Amino acid sequence: MTATHNEMANAIRFLAVDAVQAANSGHPGMPMGMADVATVLYTKFMKFDPRKTKWADRDRFVLSAGHGSMLMYALLYLSGVEDVTMDDLRNFRQMGAKTAGHPEYGHVDGVETTTGPLGQGITTAVGMALAEKMQAARYGKDIVDHYTYVIAGDGCLMEGISQEAISMAGHMKLGKLILMWDDNEICIDGNTNLTLSDDQCARFEASQWHTQKVDGHDPVAIEAALNAARKSDKPSLIACKTTIGYGAPTKAGTHDTHGAPLGADEIKGMREGLGWHSPAFEIPQNVLEAWRSAMARNSADRDAWEGRLNKLDAATKAEFVRTDAGTLPAGWEDTLNAFKKKMAEEPPKLATRQASGKVLEVLTASIPEMIGGSADLTGSVNTKTPSTASILNTDFSGRYLHYGVREHAMSAVMNGLALHGGFIPYSGTFAVFANYMMGGIRLSALMGKRVVYVLTHDSIGLGEDGPTHQPVETLAMLRSMPNFYTMRPCDIVETAECWATALKAEKTPTGMILTRQALTPLRTTHTDENLSAKGAYVLAEAEGGARKVTLMATGSEVEIAMAARATLQSEGVPTAVVSMPCWELFDQQDAAYRASVLGEGTVKVGVEAAMRFGWDQYIGSDGGFVGMTGFGASAPAPELYKHFGITAENVVAQAKARL
Amino acid sequence: MTATHNEMANAIRFLAVDAVQAANSGHPGMPMGMADVATVLYTKFMKFDPRKTKWADRDRFVLSAGHGSMLMYALLYLSGVEDVTMDDLRNFRQMGAKTAGHPEYGHVDGVETTTGPLGQGITTAVGMALAEKMQAARYGKDIVDHYTYVIAGDGCLMEGISQEAISMAGHMKLGKLILMWDDNEICIDGNTNLTLSDDQCARFEASQWHTQKVDGHDPVAIEAALNAARKSDKPSLIACKTTIGYGAPTKAGTHDTHGAPLGADEIKGMREGLGWHSPAFEIPQNVLEAWRSAMARNSADRDAWEGRLNKLDAATKAEFVRTDAGTLPAGWEDTLNAFKKKMAEEPPKLATRQASGKVLEVLTASIPEMIGGSADLTGSVNTKTPSTASILNTDFSGRYLHYGVREHAMSAVMNGLALHGGFIPYSGTFAVFANYMMGGIRLSALMGKRVVYVLTHDSIGLGEDGPTHQPVETLAMLRSMPNFYTMRPCDIVETAECWATALKAEKTPTGMILTRQALTPLRTTHTDENLSAKGAYVLAEAEGGARKVTLMATGSEVEIAMAARATLQSEGVPTAVVSMPCWELFDQQDAAYRASVLGEGTVKVGVEAAMRFGWDQYIGSDGGFVGMTGFGASAPAPELYKHFGITAENVVAQAKARL
C-alpha cells in the first residue's frame, strides 16, 4: 500500500494536534509547520533503524526547538520505534509518560539529547558532528560516516549560544551538519520583525556556512535542498519558509498555534481542510505502512555496517566497541595510582590547576578517548597535554579542541561529544565563567553525562584580576545543582583522586575547581584508597585526647585549617582537620561515616574562600566560618587573604570563641 | 605647547606598559595596540568633560575588553580626571587602589561600567545607546544627544552575548552606537585563525550594521572612519587592524604581550624604538598639556548644555533631574499602599506572576521611568502594562522592550539602561533561564544597580513543560550571589511589598521569583507596614500555648505550610508559620528579631519546592524539610506536588517526627 507525502506529513500534524489537545497543554504550531520537512528528512534521508536505535553509525537528529516535542514523538512512532506506542502519545505530558513535555534523553528511545532551553540543541549537534569527524579520522568512513540533522526555530537562532555554535561549526568545516531552520516569522510576542532584522543566511555565510532557502511545504524542493546540503563540504543551513500551525483553518500563521491546544472546533476544521478522516490517535493503515516501509530501508544498511565492523582487526574493533560503550581501558587506574604514590612520596608545591595538568598528562596517555579543550585559556587552565594534539579543521585525529572564547558552546559541545559516544570530554575556563555556561552545565547534569568542567582561578586567590574574575558564589551555585559533583581538591594527591572519581562517574558531570596559586602538599602518606571518593575525610585527627574542634575546609583553605590546627594542638586543644573535596559524594556516605568525620558534639569551623551559603549543613548555624561575605577585590593574593581575614589566626579565634 | 599624535598615543602606551611592569601583573598588549584609536577618539570626538564626569549628556565610553584597563586609566589621567592621579597609576592592581585589575564602576570616576567578563561591555553599551534614544524621545535633542563608543576585542566578539547585542542594536537602529573592534588577530591560545573563520564585517552587516575597515595605527584614517560612523543612521562597526603590543621590539604582534608584563629589557627597547625619553610614570609636559587642552574643548559644550537644560520649563527640567538622579516620584508608595489595602480586603486568587502584573499596572502608571520588557515571553511573565507601549525602532517614546529570545543580552542591556541614568529597568523570563543570564546578573550585583529580574514559572508548579523548565536549584544560586535580593512572595500583597522593596533598593538588584500557578491569598488583613521588607515575618503565630513548631516557607509553599499548621493546631500543637519572601533582607535584621521569628527551641520545618541547599541556616541540619531532592518531571502541577511529596501531610509528618 502506498500513501502520498501529504498523508504522511499530515499523520505528524494530527498526532501533534490531538496529543496537545488531549494533554490540554503543549506546542502544536511547530510540528504542524515542519511536518513536511521532517517527513522528507526521515523517509528519504535519515539513516536510522527503528529496531536498533543505538546503532553507532546512525544519523543523529536533534530537535533544537524542543517545545515541538510532539514532532519528535510522532516521528519515532511513525518510524516504528517500539519504545513509543500510541498509548505513549495519548499520555503526552502526563505523569510517568515517556512522552515528556520536552524531549528528554534517556527517557525514551530515539531522543538523542534533551532540548527545550533554546540554542542548546544546535550546539549539542555541533558536538555530535565533531565527534563524527573525530571518530571517522580514527576508524575510517567504512565505520563512521553519518550526518547530524537539526531542526531549529527563530528562538534558537536568537540565543547567543547559537552564534558560538555556528561560528565554531563553520570554522571546523563540519560538512555533515545540516540545520533546518523553521523560518515561520513568528515568535511568542508576535511577528519576528518586532525584535529581529537579521539576514540569517548572510549571518551563516559570514561564518562559512552553505545556505539555501526553500519552501518548507514543498517536498520536492526540500529533497533537492537536502541533497545539495549533503554534497557541500561546509555545514549547511536550509531556511525552510513555513506557516506555523499549517492546516489550522483560522489560526495558521499566528502565534496562537505556538504554545496552546488549538481547541476542538479548530481541529475539526483542520480535519476537513486537510481531508483527514481518522479519529484522534488513529493512523490509516496505508499511511503507517508507508512510514514503516520507508524506514525499513535502513536495516540492510545497518547489517552491512555490522559486516564492516566485524571485518576490522580484533583490537581495532574492540577499541571501537569499548569507547562507544563508555568503558574505560584496563589498567588506567593502576597507572594513576602509581602516580599518586609518587606524588605522596615526593610532594610538589603546585597550584591545583598545575596539579590537574600533571594528572591529565597521566590520564590522557592511558585513556585515548579523553578529549581536552579550553575556552581560549589553554595556558592558564592546564588542560593540554603531550598526548592531546590540537584538533584542526584539516585534521581531526587530534584530541584537543580550541573552543575559542565560547564558554556556553563549550559546555553544550561537550554534551554532544559525550552523547555521540566514543569520547570523554573535559575542558577548562576560569571558575567564575561557569556563569556563562550554566545552561549547558544544567543539561549535563539533567542528562547524566560524564563531562568534566575544569574551573580554575577559583577564589580571591587569583589576585589582581579582581572581583569580576573572583568567584565567591560559584561553589554554592554548582553545589545546588542536582547530579553534579563539585570537587575542590587541596593538593596533587587529592586532585588525582578527584579525577579518578570523575572518570568513574558515568552518569554525573563534574566540576574540577582549581586554584591559580601554589598550595602546600598535605597528602604526603600514600594510601591505595581513594579518600576523596568519600567526599570528605579526616585528613588529620585530633591528638592528645578526645577531639574538641573539627576544622572543615576545601581546596586552598585546607592548608590554612592545618596551620590553625597546629596552633590549637600546641595550646592543648585536640583538633581535627576534615578535607571536603566533594560535598555531594560525602552526602552519599552512610550516617555513621558522616558522623565520625563531622565529629558530633565538637566545635565546628568551616574555612573556604567563598560565601558561607550552604555550609551550615555541616557546621551548624552556630558554627564558625572563615570565608567571604561579599565580592573580592583587586590586589596580590596574599594581601587579599589577609584583607578578607581568611587566615589561620581567624580560624583559631573562631574555634576558641566556641570552646 | 603642542604634541604630535604619536606622542599623545605613546603616552598611553608607556603608562600601560610601566604600570603593568610595576604591578608585575596585567595586560599591556591591548592598550599598546589601541592607543592610536583611543587617542583620536578622546582628543577629537569624545564629549566628555574631565571636570564633570557625570554630565548627563556626555558621550559614554565602554572598554568592553576590560582586561586592557590601563587604557581606561591612562585615558582618564591624560584627560585630566582629578580622581585619577599618577599615584593611582603607580598603584595599579594594588590593595585599595582605584586602578583595579579590571575597570570597576563606582570605584573610580569616569568608568561607566564594570567590564572584564567578555561581551558584557558591548551589550551594556547597547543599553546605554537605547537609553539615549529613549531620553532623546522624551526631552529632545537639545538635552540628550550623545554617542556611545565601545572598544572590543576578538574575545568579546566570540562570546554569544555579543551576537544578541549586535542583533538587537541593528534591529533597533542605534545609529549613535559605534563599536571599535581591536582586530589584532591574536587570542590567548595563539592566532585567531586557530578557532575563528568569521567574516566579522559580513556578520555585522547581516544584522544591519554599518561597517568599515581601517588601519588602527593611522590617525587620519581613524578620524575619517569615526566621522563616517557618526553620520550613519545604523550602528557602526569600525574594524581597526592593529598590532597587539605595538611598539614592543620583539614581542609586538604576539600573544606574549597579552596578559603579562613585557619585562625591563623589552620596555627599554620600546623606549628606544618609539623615541620616548621619559622615565616611568612621567609624561612630558607638552604631551600632557596637549591632552588636557584637547579635552578642554568640552567645557564650553557642557556650559551650553546646562544653559539649554535651564531653559526647559520647570516641570520638565525637574523630571529630567529627578529621573537622572534615580529618585522615585512623590506619592508612588501611597498609591501602591492603597492598592495593597484593596487587595487585602478583596483578595484575588492569582498566580504571583499575575499578581506582579497587577502591581506593575499600578507602579508603571505612577513611575514613568520604569521600563519593562521580556525575552519573548510577554504573555507569560506579565510584564507589559497599559502604561508601557512597545519601544519600536521608529518610536522610542514607549516603555516596553521586546528583547527577543536573548536573555543574556537582556540582563546586560538592563544594566546599561540603569547605568545610563533616567530609567529603572525590569524585565522577565522563566526562572530557569536565570542560567542564561547569570553573567549579567552578577554584574548587576557587583555594580550595585537597581535592576529587577522578573523570573516566573518558578518550580515544578509550572507542570507539563517538565524538568528542562522547572528550576530546583535557581533559588539557591541566586541566594548565593552577594548583593542580590531573591524575593519569592506568596500572594498579591507580598508581591506588592516585594516590588516596593525592590524599587527602594537603589544599590541592589532584585530577582522577583513568581509562580505560574494560582495561589490562595494569605495576607487578608491590611497593614501599612511592609512586612516583606524585613525578609521574613510571622504570618500566623502559634495559638493555644507556647509555640512548639515553626513552619517556614516561601512563595507557593506558604499556603501548604498554612494547611499543615491548621492540622497541627487542630491536634493541639501550637504552630507558627513564617513567610520568608527574601532571605537576604531577613539576614540584615537584628538578632532579636531574627530569633523571635525563627522561634528558638521550636521544631523547625522548611517548605519550598526546590533543593534544600541553603535552608539549614534557618531550620538547622536536624530540621525537617519538604521540597525537592533532584530534577522535576513532566506532568500537571498538582500531580507533581503529590508525586514529589510537597504536601501539607508531609509537612505535618516532618514536624511530628521531631516533636
Side-chain angles (χ1 to χ4, degrees), chain B residues 151-189:
Chain B
I151 286 183
D154 291 297
C156 286
L157 298 194
M158 276 195 262
E159 292 286 3
I161 187 176
S162 73
Q163 179 67 17
E164 300 181 11
I166 292 163
S167 175
M168 188 169 177
H171 175 71
M172 296 306 284
K173 300 186 180 167
L174 302 179
K176 302 180 82 177
L177 174 66
I178 297 177
L179 170 54
M180 289 154 289
W181 164 38
D182 181 16
D183 180 12
N184 61 24
E185 297 180 16
I186 293 294
C187 59
I188 292 176
D189 276 10

Side-chain angles (χ1 to χ4, degrees), chain A residues 93 102 118 159-160 164 167 171 189 195 197-199 206 208 376 378 402 407 436 442 465 470 473, chain B residues 93 102 118 159-160 164 167 171 189 195 197-199 206-208 376 378 402 407 436 442 465 470 473:
Chain A
R93 292 184 155 228
H102 289 80
L118 295 175
E159 292 287 3
E164 300 181 11
S167 175
H171 175 72
D189 276 9
T195 45
S197 301
D198 294 339
D199 178 340
Q208 317 307 328
D376 197 34
T378 296
H402 294 278
E407 296 84 4
Y436 272 50
R442 188 176 205 266
D465 273 347
Q470 292 162 351
E473 76 286 23
Chain B
R93 292 185 156 228
H102 290 80
L118 295 175
E159 292 286 3
E164 300 181 11
S167 175
H171 175 71
D189 276 10
T195 45
S197 302
D198 294 340
D199 177 340
S207 290
Q208 317 307 328
D376 196 36
T378 296
H402 294 278
E407 296 85 3
Y436 272 50
R442 188 177 206 265
D465 273 346
Q470 291 162 353
E473 77 285 23

Side-chain angles (χ1 to χ4, degrees), chain A residues 428-443:
Chain A
T429 185
F430 291 164
V432 79
F433 298 129
N435 274 342
Y436 272 50
M437 51 185 181
M438 208 57 92
I441 290 174
R442 188 176 205 266
L443 282 182

Side-chain angles (χ1 to χ4, degrees), chain B residues 1-337:
Chain B
M1 283 196 284
T2 59
T4 65
H5 165 83
N6 282 349
E7 287 176 307
M8 293 171 80
N10 285 340
I12 295 176
R13 291 193 172 97
F14 283 96
L15 286 175
V17 161
D18 291 327
V20 170
Q21 188 69 21
N24 196 27
S25 154
H27 299 76
M30 199 283 262
M32 295 162 77
M34 286 298 277
D36 294 306
V37 171
T39 299
V40 173
L41 174 68
Y42 265 69
T43 61
K44 307 264 185 183
F45 295 97
M46 270 293 283
K47 184 165 75 171
F48 174 68
D49 184 346
R51 288 168 307 174
K52 293 267 190 175
T53 57
K54 295 190 171 46
W55 173 19
D57 196 36
R58 69 192 179 279
D59 287 343
R60 303 309 196 265
F61 173 71
V62 173
L63 185 69
S64 193
H67 52 274
S69 55
M70 268 310 303
L71 178 67
M72 186 80 242
Y73 302 136
L75 287 167
L76 295 175
Y77 171 77
L78 292 169
S79 294
V81 172
E82 273 190 11
D83 198 35
V84 183
T85 65
M86 193 59 96
D87 274 346
D88 292 321
L89 302 188
R90 276 196 194 92
N91 284 319
F92 180 52
R93 292 185 156 228
Q94 302 311 301
M95 180 65 76
K98 290 169 191 158
T99 46
H102 290 80
E104 285 182 43
Y105 171 78
H107 205 68
V108 64
D109 253 14
V111 169
E112 302 281 5
T113 180
T114 298
T115 52
L118 295 175
Q120 296 289 336
I122 292 178
T123 319
T124 305
V126 169
M128 294 174 179
L130 264 170
E132 194 269 350
K133 285 256 197 191
M134 289 156 55
Q135 267 197 332
R138 283 155 177 75
Y139 297 98
K141 286 203 163 288
D142 270 2
I143 305 300
V144 184
D145 186 14
H146 70 78
Y147 286 88
T148 301
Y149 297 103
V150 184
I151 286 183
D154 291 297
C156 286
L157 298 194
M158 276 195 262
E159 292 286 3
I161 187 176
S162 73
Q163 179 67 17
E164 300 181 11
I166 292 163
S167 175
M168 188 169 177
H171 175 71
M172 296 306 284
K173 300 186 180 167
L174 302 179
K176 302 180 82 177
L177 174 66
I178 297 177
L179 170 54
M180 289 154 289
W181 164 38
D182 181 16
D183 180 12
N184 61 24
E185 297 180 16
I186 293 294
C187 59
I188 292 176
D189 276 10
N191 191 292
T192 51
N193 66 13
L194 194 63
T195 45
L196 198 65
S197 302
D198 294 340
D199 177 340
Q200 295 290 10
C201 285
R203 171 190 173 197
F204 278 76
E205 284 160 18
S207 290
Q208 317 307 328
W209 282 56
H210 172 263
T211 71
Q212 299 173 83
K213 288 184 185 179
V214 72
D215 175 352
H217 299 299
D218 176 349
V220 176
I222 297 164
E223 185 173 351
L226 276 164
N227 273 318
R230 286 157 58 102
K231 274 185 202 134
S232 169
D233 60 356
K234 296 176 170 187
S236 228
L237 170 73
I238 305 177
C240 308
K241 183 65 77 181
T242 63
T243 300
I244 191 172
Y246 181 95
T250 72
K251 295 182 175 177
T254 75
H255 67 271
D256 292 345
T257 67
H258 168 77
L262 294 185
D265 287 351
E266 187 80 3
I267 296 175
K268 187 159 170 276
M270 181 175 157
R271 281 195 148 70
E272 285 160 14
L274 295 180
W276 188 264
H277 306 297
S278 300
F281 303 112
E282 281 186 27
I283 303 295
Q285 196 58 28
N286 69 312
V287 177
L288 194 60
E289 282 185 15
W291 263 99
R292 302 275 161 97
S293 74
M295 297 310 291
R297 73 184 186 282
N298 284 298
S299 64
D301 277 1
R302 183 189 36 84
D303 288 346
W305 177 85
E306 282 183 2
R308 294 195 296 275
L309 184 70
N310 288 326
K311 275 191 205 146
L312 290 180
D313 68 87
T316 306
K317 182 186 169 190
E319 186 71 353
F320 181 85
V321 170
R322 179 185 72 73
T323 55
D324 185 58
T327 312
L328 292 164
W332 72 274
E333 209 170 357
D334 294 338
T335 313
L336 185 65
N337 201 36

Side-chain angles (χ1 to χ4, degrees), chain A residues 282 450 504 657:
Chain A
E282 281 185 27
R450 179 171 49 187
K504 288 201 243 180

Side-chain angles (χ1 to χ4, degrees), chain A residues 23 25 27 93-96 100-102 104 114-120 155 158-161 163-164 167 171 187-190 193-199 202-203 206-208 374 376-379 392-393 400 402-408 432-433 435-436 438-439 442-443 445-446 464-465 467-473 476-477 479-483 583 611 613-614 616-617 621 630-631 634-636 639-640 643, chain B residues 23 25 27 93-96 100-102 104 114-120 155 158-161 163-164 167 171 187-190 193-199 202-203 206-208 374 376-379 392-393 400 402-408 432-433 435-436 438-439 442-443 445-446 464-465 467-473 476-477 479-483 583 611 613-614 616-617 621 630-631 634-636 639-640 643:
Chain A
S25 154
H27 299 77
R93 292 184 155 228
Q94 301 311 301
M95 181 64 77
H102 289 80
E104 285 182 44
T114 298
T115 52
L118 295 175
Q120 297 289 335
M158 276 194 262
E159 292 287 3
I161 187 176
Q163 179 66 17
E164 300 181 11
S167 175
H171 175 72
C187 59
I188 292 176
D189 276 9
N193 65 16
L194 195 62
T195 45
L196 198 65
S197 301
D198 294 339
D199 178 340
R203 170 190 173 199
S207 290
Q208 317 307 328
S374 103
D376 197 34
L377 286 168
T378 296
L392 306 172
N393 59 18
Y400 192 86
H402 294 278
Y403 285 96
V405 190
R406 304 182 186 106
E407 296 84 4
H408 203 174
V432 79
F433 298 129
N435 274 342
Y436 272 50
M438 208 57 92
R442 188 176 205 266
L443 282 182
L446 181 56
E464 292 89 344
D465 273 347
T468 54
H469 285 57
Q470 292 162 351
V472 293
E473 76 286 23
M477 285 186 169
R479 286 170 180 156
S480 71
M481 179 78 75
N483 194 37
W583 292 10
M611 303 294 282
F613 196 85
D616 286 21
Q617 62 188 300
S621 47
F631 292 109
S634 170
E639 290 180 43
L640 289 170
H643 176 75
Chain B
S25 154
H27 299 76
R93 292 185 156 228
Q94 302 311 301
M95 180 65 76
H102 290 80
E104 285 182 43
T114 298
T115 52
L118 295 175
Q120 296 289 336
M158 276 195 262
E159 292 286 3
I161 187 176
Q163 179 67 17
E164 300 181 11
S167 175
H171 175 71
C187 59
I188 292 176
D189 276 10
N193 66 13
L194 194 63
T195 45
L196 198 65
S197 302
D198 294 340
D199 177 340
R203 171 190 173 197
S207 290
Q208 317 307 328
S374 102
D376 196 36
L377 285 168
T378 296
L392 306 173
N393 59 18
Y400 191 86
H402 294 278
Y403 285 97
V405 190
R406 305 182 186 105
E407 296 85 3
H408 203 174
V432 80
F433 298 130
N435 273 342
Y436 272 50
M438 207 58 90
R442 188 177 206 265
L443 283 182
L446 181 57
E464 293 89 344
D465 273 346
T468 54
H469 285 56
Q470 291 162 353
V472 294
E473 77 285 23
M477 284 186 169
R479 286 169 180 156
S480 71
M481 181 79 75
N483 194 37
W583 292 10
M611 302 295 281
F613 196 85
D616 287 22
Q617 63 189 299
S621 48
F631 293 110
S634 170
E639 290 180 42
L640 289 171
H643 175 76

Side-chain angles (χ1 to χ4, degrees), chain B residues 531 536-542 547 550 576-579 593 596-599:
Chain B
L531 297 176
Y537 61 94
V538 178
L539 174 65
E541 192 42 281
R547 193 203 294 186
T550 307
V577 167
V578 170
S579 181
Y593 178 76
S596 75
V597 170
L598 295 177

